[in-house]
């Protein structure tokens, strides 16, 4: 027929979601024309169908609209333009496809569902052209990429002059036509009859395809979120496909289930990238969907396997956490954070802090040095007392814990999260005036946390650091460190003397003044400073005691003095401050949470204990936990301390200006007469000396109870008897005290007065005093068994002869601790005064004097094995 322009006489409306190529091909067949003839007829002569399917120009959209009546917006929706920047990438000038933002795409390839082609007379949706299309949700089948006959992309929507005339067949030129019939002939295979893999409705592939459809169908506001998830899916998917060729035997069960669902065939890989067929897209996207979205039981196990598969592709055997997480940076921060969290257990403390990998929200370090310097102003040189209590493990009190170094190390670690790599632990310390860098770091990692999980420490410090960046702090510690020193801190000595007179304390001399100045400086800067120049050797110990034993009235006076110092320098800040507890979540601290302790209960406990170690044991912590709580809550024990100069005074009652609380006349009389408390107990409650209590009672005319008679001399306790039983027979002092019905202190005092050596004791009985020895031990045996580990020493030394070397002996009898065994032998020989083991012989043998000593030791051990002491 003849058509003179305008609307076409025959109308064919597009199907919902149909591709432009599919609609134009169907329209051309309806008009008994080819695609090119159809375009020529509507005024688009020379237009290329492949370019129009990608994006329509204004002239093309207008011509199609005028000829068919289909709105231009609907026409553009049939092209790939709506998916530009999301599922595909269109070259801005040439209208051709480039590599998409996520996944791999091969030019104009169109996948297809045979059942859909059969139902829709060969027509299909534009979705088939996207790299994320791999399954038909309507027929629950895997899409096909190639013609089953010619094994090439079929081009099912092209109406050609040479045919075929029917829809839904392969229009590619046949490569295997008869040689006697030259010319280009189409393949002609019926694509609707191609075999397709059926997918289970309750399987894994169909939900993954449904998720992709929902992401691609979102509005413009949801595109950034959708693109971010597509990038994450692709980052996971290509690692899954690669990992199936390297670590398939280590994959979790969900990988095998997805592989079976997709036909049980391993994915095809190219030299540079994963394959771009529907099978690869289905398998990779399905497992990526499981690894990305929680809900499946193998969700975490699959992600861990993907990480290991990714590592197996690297040339370096074991990259650090930063390099491994950095490989995910292209996919966005979400997968980077998750990767950091999963790799946290493999990282060092330095890396765990820098990437905050142990915290609930790991993050890539992007902060500049200026931000870290600003954070340093919010941090004291030593970690806040309350947070130290939380992070300090509940270790048994022992020497060289170096809690001060631990606090300095934690403050320095607070400057690592998010910072640049050049600001490592060694370089951030000077920002806080922390100079002993290696010591502080060792105190944190290798001393206090040597047997403790570092995760709570790494998580807490990282969260505190970022919270300080977000919220700041009300105290500028950098200014205080620069302002307050021993020379600049002022103390009202007159006010202090008045306070002493008010409570009946000695004001002390220069040592006490330096001690008060030290505590004042600690309040102002939050730091325990070293002793001032000229301080005596006991100054540091007295400072530690002062934190536990300073009376509340003296603490209140010093706090007021600290606030006066702040006002004098025009610093409008709170005296002390700590980050709130809500800044850190998801951490189980190894120490004690301050809010879990009731101040009243702790105050009552401190009124009954005699030492800080006793208080620490009662609360299930260490002595330093108690000192830190005293610093935090401004409480202390009521027991006076000689270590800080004995705050009590022996002034007469007339010189005491104020008598209040315990020392009030009525209260004092009630405690002494009605409650029958001893003078020492009342003095402990009042933080004063018993002589002061006695003087006050005499002033109030309260009759004093007579003192108990002292222990009368005992003619049965003589020096000769004590030397024979304690020194020669090696009996314990406690056993002898029970035998003579006197106190342990009484016998010890007599022994010291008679110049008898006092043996050290320990909880486990390990001496030989309970043995009924046939004769007095030799001087060498007496010296060796003077140790509290006497029997252990003897059992070790008698087993040495006969071994080929000391190293062999250590492996056999000393758990392989060669150096420890050598030290024990050296100590035994040093105590005996001669060499017992001859090291030059093979096997090892005793020296002549050592032979007699070992024979005597064997006899002692024989008697010890026969006798089981009931004493400790």
């Amino acid at each position: 027929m003849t058509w003179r322009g305008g609307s076409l006489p025959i109308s064919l409306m597009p199907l919902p979601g149909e591709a432009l190529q599919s609609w134009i091909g169907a329209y051309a067949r309806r008009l008994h024309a080819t695609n090119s003839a159809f375009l020529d007829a509507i005024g688009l002569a020379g237009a290329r169908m492949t370019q129009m399917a990608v994006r329509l120009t204004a002239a093309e959209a207008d011509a199609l609209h005028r000829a068919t009546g289909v709105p231009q917006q609907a026409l553009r929706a049939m092209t790939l333009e709506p998916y530009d920047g999301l599922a595909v990438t269109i070259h801005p000038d040439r209208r051709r496809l480039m590599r998409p933002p996520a996944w791999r795409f091969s030019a104009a390839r169109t996948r297809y569902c045979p059942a859909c082609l059969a139902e829709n007379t060969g027509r299909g949706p534009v979705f088939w052209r996207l790299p994320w299309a791999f399954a038909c949700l309507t027929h629950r089948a895997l899409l096909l990429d190639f013609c089953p006959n010619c094994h090439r992309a079929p081009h099912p929507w092209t109406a050609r002059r040479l045919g075929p005339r029917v829809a839904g067949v392969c229009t590619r030129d046949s490569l295997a036509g008869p040689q006697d019939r030259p010319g280009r002939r189409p393949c002609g295979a019926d694509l609707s009859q191609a075999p397709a893999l059926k997918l289970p409705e309750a399987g894994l592939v169909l939900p993954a395809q449904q998720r992709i459809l929902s992401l691609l169908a979102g509005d413009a506001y949801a595109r950034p979120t959708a693109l971010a998830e597509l990038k994450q899916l692709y980052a996971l998917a290509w690692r899954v496909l690669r990992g199936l060729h390297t670590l398939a035997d280590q994959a979790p069960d969900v990988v095998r289930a997805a592989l079976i669902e997709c036909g049980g065939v391993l994915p095809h890989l190219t030299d540079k990238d994963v394959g771009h067929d529907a099978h690869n897209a289905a398998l990779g996207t399905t497992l990526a969907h499981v690894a990305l979205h929680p809900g499946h039981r193998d969700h975490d196990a699959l992600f861990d396997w993907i990480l290991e598969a990714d590592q197996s592709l690297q040339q370096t055997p074991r990259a650090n956490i930063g390099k491994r997480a950095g490989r995910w940076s292209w996919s966005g921060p979400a997968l980077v954070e998750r990767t950091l969290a999963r790799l946290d257990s493999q990282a060092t403390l330095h890396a765990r802090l820098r990437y905050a990998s142990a915290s609930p929200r790991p993050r890539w370090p992007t902060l500049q040095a200026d931000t870290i310097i600003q954070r340093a102003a919010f941090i004291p040189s030593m970690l806040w007392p309350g947070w130290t209590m939380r992070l300090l493990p509940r270790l048994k009190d022992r020497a060289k814990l170096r809690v001060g170094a631990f606090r300095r190390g934690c403050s320095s670690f607070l400057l690592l999260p998010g910072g640049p790599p050049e600001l490592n632990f060694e370089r951030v310390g000077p920002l806080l005036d922390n100079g002993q860098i290696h010591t502080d770091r060792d105190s944190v990692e290798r001393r206090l946390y040597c047997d403790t999980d570092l995760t709570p420490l790494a998580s807490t410090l990282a969260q505190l650091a970022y919270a300080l960046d977000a919220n700041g702090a009300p105290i500028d510690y950098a200014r205080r460190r620069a302002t307050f020193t021993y020379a600049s801190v002022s103390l009202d000595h007159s006010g202090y003397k008045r306070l002493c007179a008010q409570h009946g304390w000695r004001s002390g001399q220069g040592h006490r003044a330096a001690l008060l100045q030290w505590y004042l400086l600690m309040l102002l800067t939050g730091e325990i400073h070293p002793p001032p120049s000229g301080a005596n050797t006991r100054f540091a110990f007295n400072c530690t005691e002062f934190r536990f034993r300073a009376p509340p009235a003296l603490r209140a006076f010093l706090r007021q003095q600290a606030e006066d110092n702040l006002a004098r320098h025009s610093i409008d800040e709170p005296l002390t401050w700590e980050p709130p507890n809500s800044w850190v979540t998801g951490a189980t601290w190894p120490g004690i949470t301050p809010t879990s302790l009731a101040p009243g209960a702790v105050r009552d406990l401190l009124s009954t204990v005699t030492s800080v170690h006793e208080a620490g044991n009662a609360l299930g912590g260490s002595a330093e936990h108690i000192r830190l709580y005293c610093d935090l809550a401004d409480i202390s024990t009521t027991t006076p301390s000689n270590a800080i100069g004995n705050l009590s005074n022996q002034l007469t009652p007339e010189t005491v200006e104020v008598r209040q609380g315990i020392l009030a006349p009525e209260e004092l009389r009630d405690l002494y007469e009605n409650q029958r408390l001893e003078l020492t107990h009342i003095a402990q409650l009042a933080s004063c000396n018993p002589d002061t209590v006695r003087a006050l009672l005499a002033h109030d005319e309260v009759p004093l109870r007579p003192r108990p008679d002292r222990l009368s001399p005992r003619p049965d306790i003589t020096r000769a008897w004590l030397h024979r039983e304690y020194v020669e027979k090696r009996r314990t002092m406690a056993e002898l005290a029970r035998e003579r019905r006197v106190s342990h202190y009484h016998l010890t005092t007599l022994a010291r007065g008679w110049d008898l050596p006092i043996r050290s004791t320990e909880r486990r009985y390990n001496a030989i005093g309970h043995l009924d020895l046939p004769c007095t031990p030799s001087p060498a045996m007496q010296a060796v068994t003077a140790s509290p580990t006497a029997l252990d020493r003897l059992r070790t030394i008698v087993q040495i002869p006969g071994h080929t070397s000391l190293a062999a002996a250590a492996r056999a009898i000393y758990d392989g601790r060669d150096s420890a065994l050598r030290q024990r032998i050296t100590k035994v020989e040093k105590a005996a005064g001669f060499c017992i083991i001859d090291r030059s012989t093979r096997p090892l043998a005793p020296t002549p004097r050592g032979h007699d000593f070992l024979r005597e030791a064997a006899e002692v051990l024989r008697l010890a094995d026969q006798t089981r002491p009931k004493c400790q």
Side-chain angles (χ1 to χ4, degrees):
M1 69 181 186
T2 303
W3 178 66
R4 300 184 179 277
S7 298
L8 291 171
I10 299 177
S11 176
L12 182 65
M13 299 305 294
L15 299 176
E18 187 176 6
L20 184 68
Q21 285 176 303
S22 172
W23 175 66
I24 290 178
Y27 219 136
R29 287 189 176 89
R30 178 72 181 274
L31 297 174
H32 300 282
T34 64
N35 286 17
S36 59
F38 174 83
L39 295 177
D40 291 344
I42 64 174
L44 294 177
R48 300 181 62 179
M49 191 67 246
T50 56
Q51 292 181 339
M52 294 175 60
V54 173
R55 176 189 290 148
L56 290 173
T57 64
E60 292 168 346
D62 182 65
L64 285 171
H65 168 63
R66 284 187 292 103
T68 64
V70 178
Q72 293 188 20
Q73 183 177 2
L75 291 171
R76 288 191 169 89
M78 300 166 68
T79 68
L80 296 177
E81 184 178 8
Y83 303 99
D84 185 24
L86 181 62
V88 297
T89 300
I90 302 175
H91 194 285
D93 300 325
R94 301 181 182 179
R95 285 200 294 175
R96 65 180 180 86
L97 294 176
M98 305 167 62
R99 179 156 186 159
W103 207 256
R104 182 175 173 84
F105 188 66
S106 178
R109 172 178 295 184
T110 299
R111 295 171 183 149
Y112 66 95
C113 170
C116 288
L117 292 177
E119 288 183 1
N120 299 315
T121 62
R123 300 164 71 177
V126 68
F127 176 69
W128 286 354
R129 295 205 63 196
L130 302 179
W132 292 101
F134 50 81
C136 176
L137 297 179
T138 303
H139 301 99
R140 299 194 293 275
L142 197 67
L143 297 182
L144 300 179
D145 291 89
F146 305 107
C147 169
N149 184 33
C150 65
H151 305 291
R152 291 183 295 168
H155 294 180
W157 300 324
T158 302
R160 300 175 47 181
R161 181 177 59 84
L162 299 177
R165 303 301 180 191
V166 296
V169 297
C170 179
T171 61
R172 296 295 294 267
D173 292 333
S174 177
L175 301 178
Q179 297 182 359
D180 58 343
R181 301 175 61 184
R184 299 171 60 187
R185 296 184 178 277
C187 171
D190 186 359
L191 300 179
S192 63
Q193 299 302 316
L197 178 66
K198 293 296 182 180
L199 300 173
E201 184 176 4
L204 300 170
V205 178
L206 294 179
Q209 184 68 92
Q210 183 61 54
R211 177 60 183 173
I212 295 296
L213 282 171
S214 64
L215 292 175
L216 298 179
D219 55 22
Y221 296 103
R223 283 178 69 97
T225 303
L227 179 59
E229 184 169 335
L230 289 176
K231 287 185 175 181
Q232 295 172 35
L233 288 171
Y234 176 58
L236 291 166
W238 80 263
R239 288 173 169 86
V240 166
L241 298 175
R242 289 282 184 179
L244 284 172
H245 288 267
T246 56
L247 297 178
D249 57 332
Q250 303 177 20
D253 294 339
V254 67
V255 176
R256 299 180 182 88
L259 189 61
I260 293 173
E261 191 173 330
C262 292
V265 180
L266 286 177
H268 171 68
L269 301 180
T270 65
D271 294 337
K272 297 181 179 179
D273 205 343
V274 299
H276 47 270
D277 59 329
H279 177 268
N280 273 25
L283 183 58
T285 306
T286 297
L287 292 175
H289 181 262
V290 173
L292 187 62
H293 298 284
H296 196 279
R297 60 185 180 88
D298 286 340
H299 168 70
D300 290 326
L302 177 59
F303 189 79
D304 291 340
W305 175 78
I306 293 174
L307 290 180
E308 290 303 315
D310 183 50
Q311 176 62 26
S312 68
L313 301 176
Q314 306 308 305
Q315 296 180 354
T316 55
R318 205 47 150 185
N320 58 42
I321 181 175
K323 290 183 178 180
R324 295 185 65 181
R327 290 175 47 80
W328 299 80
S329 59
W330 171 86
S331 63
L335 278 185
V336 173
E337 293 175 3
R338 188 176 176 193
T339 302
L340 290 171
R342 303 303 294 184
L343 296 177
D344 172 69
S345 60
Q346 306 174 21
T348 63
L349 178 60
H350 192 288
R352 298 174 80 178
L353 288 170
R354 184 165 182 261
Y355 297 99
S357 57
S359 69
R361 186 196 166 189
R363 59 193 79 183
W364 193 259
T366 58
L367 302 180
Q368 301 298 321
D370 293 342
T371 305
I372 304 302
I373 294 174
Q374 182 180 0
R375 185 193 297 169
F378 300 148
I379 301 174
S381 297
M382 301 179 71
L383 192 66
W384 299 278
W387 288 98
T388 305
M389 288 184 63
R390 295 176 176 94
L391 297 177
L392 182 65
R394 305 187 189 194
L395 302 173
K396 293 182 179 180
D397 293 318
R398 60 177 186 263
K400 298 182 181 179
L401 279 182
R402 298 180 183 173
V403 178
F406 169 77
R407 295 179 64 183
R408 290 184 182 276
C410 287
S411 286
S412 297
F413 276 131
L414 277 173
L415 298 178
L416 295 182
E422 59 269 16
L423 282 182
N424 54 19
F425 185 88
E426 287 72 17
R427 292 177 179 172
V428 297
L431 298 178
L432 302 175
D433 293 341
N434 286 338
Q436 298 179 346
I437 301 300
H438 298 289
T439 302
D440 297 346
R441 186 170 182 175
D442 288 346
S443 294
V444 175
E445 296 186 70
R446 300 181 180 88
R447 191 177 300 272
L448 292 178
Y449 270 80
C450 58
D451 298 322
T452 306
D453 183 18
L454 284 167
T455 299
L457 177 70
S459 175
T460 299
L461 294 180
Q463 293 184 68
L464 285 177
Y466 281 110
L468 284 172
D469 295 340
N471 304 292
I475 296 179
D476 186 349
Y477 288 100
R479 176 173 58 181
R480 291 198 184 185
R481 285 190 288 268
T483 303
F484 297 109
T485 61
Y486 278 113
S488 61
V489 169
S490 60
L491 178 67
D492 183 3
H493 293 279
S494 299
Y496 170 64
K497 290 182 179 180
R498 289 193 299 271
L499 180 70
C500 291
Q502 204 173 33
H503 291 82
W505 302 334
R506 291 194 185 99
S507 60
Q509 302 298 324
H511 172 81
R512 179 71 61 79
L515 186 62
L516 299 179
Q517 200 171 23
W518 170 88
Y519 189 82
L520 186 60
L521 197 58
M522 185 186 75
L523 289 176
L524 288 168
T525 63
E527 176 185 2
I528 296 179
H529 289 261
S533 59
N536 60 35
T537 56
R538 300 284 291 176
F539 185 85
F541 170 78
N542 292 341
C543 291
T544 304
E545 281 290 287
F546 190 88
R547 294 170 56 201
F548 174 65
R549 299 189 184 276
L554 183 55
R555 287 181 183 269
F557 170 77
L558 292 173
R559 288 187 68 88
Q560 183 60 48
Q561 289 293 301
E563 292 176 354
D564 292 344
N565 274 269
L566 291 176
R568 190 173 298 109
H569 289 84
S570 301
I571 299 177
D572 185 15
E573 295 174 351
L575 177 59
T576 58
W577 173 84
E578 291 217 353
N581 197 19
S582 59
W583 280 11
V584 177
T585 59
T588 303
W589 296 300
I592 299 176
T593 305
T595 54
S596 66
L597 302 178
V602 178
R603 191 175 288 108
D604 293 341
L605 171 66
L606 296 183
S607 67
T608 61
V609 299
T610 58
S611 70
V612 66
H613 300 282
E614 183 180 351
N617 293 333
L619 292 179
S622 65
E624 188 61 23
H625 283 104
I626 302 300
R627 298 187 189 100
L628 290 167
Y629 191 76
C630 290
D631 295 338
L632 190 65
D634 270 343
I635 62 176
S636 59
T637 181
T638 58
T639 306
S641 172
N642 292 327
I644 58 175
N646 197 348
L647 290 175
S648 59
N649 197 343
Q650 298 184 19
L651 301 177
T652 61
E654 291 81 1
T655 61
V656 179
E657 297 181 1
V658 177
R659 291 180 60 187
Q660 55 186 2
I662 301 289
L663 299 180
E666 298 79 6
E667 180 71 16
L668 184 61
R669 181 184 293 271
D670 176 70
L671 292 173
Y672 186 73
E673 290 188 336
N674 300 330
Q675 300 185 33
R676 309 291 292 178
L677 296 183
E678 297 293 336
L679 297 182
T680 54
H681 192 182
I682 298 175
Q684 291 178 359
L685 297 177
S687 298
C688 66
N689 192 279
D691 292 337
T692 300
V693 178
R694 184 180 294 105
L696 292 174
L697 290 173
H699 178 267
D700 296 337
E701 297 182 354
V702 176
L704 300 178
R705 296 191 292 270
R707 296 182 180 181
D709 294 335
R710 296 185 180 275
L711 189 65
S712 58
R714 296 284 298 272
D716 56 337
I717 301 178
T718 62
R719 187 186 186 284
W721 171 82
L722 190 57
H723 185 275
R724 181 178 66 256
E725 301 295 328
Y726 181 71
V727 178
E728 296 181 1
K729 294 185 177 182
R730 320 303 290 175
R731 298 177 64 186
T732 64
M733 195 69 75
E735 182 183 4
L736 296 175
R738 288 193 297 269
E739 180 181 302
R740 288 297 188 260
R741 296 184 179 181
V742 295
S743 67
H744 185 283
Y745 173 78
H746 183 78
L747 278 187
T748 304
T749 303
L750 291 177
R752 288 196 178 96
W754 289 332
D755 294 329
L756 297 180
I758 305 298
R759 299 191 299 270
S760 60
T761 59
E762 62 174 16
R763 294 182 180 179
R764 186 172 66 89
Y765 187 84
N766 200 244
I768 65 171
H770 65 290
L771 302 179
D772 186 13
L773 299 176
C775 58
T776 302
S778 64
M781 182 62 66
Q782 293 182 23
V784 171
T785 56
S787 167
T789 58
L791 294 177
D792 287 346
R793 282 183 161 191
L794 297 181
R795 287 193 175 94
T796 300
I797 198 71
V798 298
Q799 298 181 68
I800 300 301
H803 292 281
T804 57
S805 63
L806 291 181
R811 290 192 297 269
I813 65 173
Y814 223 64
D815 297 330
R817 297 175 296 164
D818 186 14
S819 60
L821 178 62
R822 293 176 186 273
Q823 291 178 8
R824 166 153 284 194
I825 295 174
T826 301
K827 289 181 179 179
V828 172
E829 292 179 337
K830 184 177 180 180
F834 54 85
C835 181
I836 299 176
I837 303 298
D838 186 358
R839 276 79 159 175
S840 62
T841 61
R842 291 294 182 273
L844 299 177
T847 62
R849 296 185 64 183
H851 185 274
D852 296 336
F853 178 85
L854 293 181
R855 184 174 53 189
E856 184 180 6
E859 179 64 18
V860 171
L861 291 174
R862 185 186 65 79
L863 293 175
D865 293 337
Q866 295 176 355
T867 306
R868 300 292 181 181
K870 297 182 180 180
C871 56
Q872 62 176 4

